[in-house]
Amino acid sequence: DPKDQERFYDGLKSKFGGSEGDIVINDFMNAQYYGPIEVGTPGQKVTVIFDTGSSNLWVPTKKPFLTSHATYKPEKSSTFKENGTAFAIQYGSGAVKGEFVNDVFSMGPFPIKDYNFGAVKDTSGMGIGYYLAKFDGILGMAFDSIVQGGGPAPFTALVNSGQLDEPVFAFYLTGDANQKGELVLGGVDPKHYTGDFDKVPL
């Protein structure tokens, strides 16, 4: 429920003094970890999986029959620009198809302007799994080198915008569907770890 997410977000900041870049992460059966973003102007809320194994952002413009998925409506965004390039990406769970568009999207309080992402019309390749999914789209958090269609990955675009204190993000996942997790953009939450981090060159 978006109102529950907003209340939790406000409570997170007041309780922990957390950064403005915290995003509430929901857990569905330890299989889907998802949270809200906004796309377009004014912002249209959609729920995405923050996927560390891919590097593209896509959101649906059409939902399967009898589902409650939120969709992105380009015609209602004053910052939408056509791209015209076909978008198609294959996941282990199936494929999605549509076209690239250019618009603003926001992760937490951070807007990323003029970003190219997938506006997906066909999610049928994901089968029944998408019908039952708690998420609407996918936001890839991985490297630029695996972006389909070129361009920076979403998090790289956020770093390049100069809005973050540090070029890092951190997840806190509870493993309990009744307990919210968080994605911190631009830092880490000291409430959720002890000791020091070891760095591994990639």
Side-chain angles (χ1 to χ4, degrees):
D1 179 16
K3 290 184 178 180
D4 287 342
Q5 290 178 344
E6 289 177 11
R7 283 194 292 268
F8 181 80
Y9 179 69
D10 291 339
L12 195 69
K13 289 189 290 184
S14 63
K15 182 176 181 181
F16 298 121
S19 76
E20 293 282 347
D22 291 349
I23 296 174
V24 175
I25 298 295
N26 296 282
D27 173 8
F28 179 63
M29 299 180 69
N30 288 338
Q32 297 175 24
Y33 296 95
Y34 57 94
I37 64 168
E38 291 190 356
V39 185
T41 306
Q44 301 175 38
K45 289 187 178 182
V46 294
T47 297
V48 296
I49 286 182
F50 294 94
D51 178 23
T52 56
S54 68
S55 296
N56 280 83
L57 167 63
W58 68 263
V59 294
T61 57
K62 183 179 179 181
K63 62 182 179 180
F65 184 60
L66 294 178
T67 67
S68 59
H69 290 293
T71 59
Y72 163 59
K73 299 174 178 61
E75 69 277 6
K76 293 189 176 182
S77 173
S78 63
T79 46
F80 159 71
K81 299 173 186 175
E82 291 188 8
N83 180 300
T85 306
F87 175 85
I89 191 166
Q90 176 75 44
Y91 298 95
S93 55
V96 295
K97 299 177 182 178
E99 62 183 12
F100 279 100
V101 298
N102 183 284
D103 208 338
V104 62
F105 82 95
S106 296
M107 300 173 66
F110 305 119
I112 298 91
K113 299 178 180 179
D114 297 316
Y115 190 75
N116 288 316
F117 59 90
V120 166
K121 299 177 181 178
D122 182 3
T123 56
S124 61
M126 301 187 84
I128 191 67
Y130 187 73
Y131 273 82
L132 303 175
K134 299 293 185 179
F135 65 93
D136 306 310
I138 292 178
L139 192 153
M141 300 289 288
F143 304 109
D144 293 350
S145 58
I146 59 172
V147 174
Q148 299 291 320
F155 186 71
T156 300
L158 175 54
V159 171
N160 292 344
S161 74
Q163 299 179 79
L164 300 181
D165 292 334
E166 298 179 84
V168 299
F169 63 86
F171 284 100
Y172 171 67
L173 305 176
T174 66
D176 181 350
N178 296 315
Q179 298 291 324
K180 305 290 187 180
E182 67 177 342
L183 165 59
V184 181
L185 302 170
V188 296
D189 188 339
K191 299 289 184 180
H192 298 311
Y193 73 92
T194 58
D196 299 317
F197 289 102
D198 291 324
K199 295 183 179 180
V200 179
L202 299 174

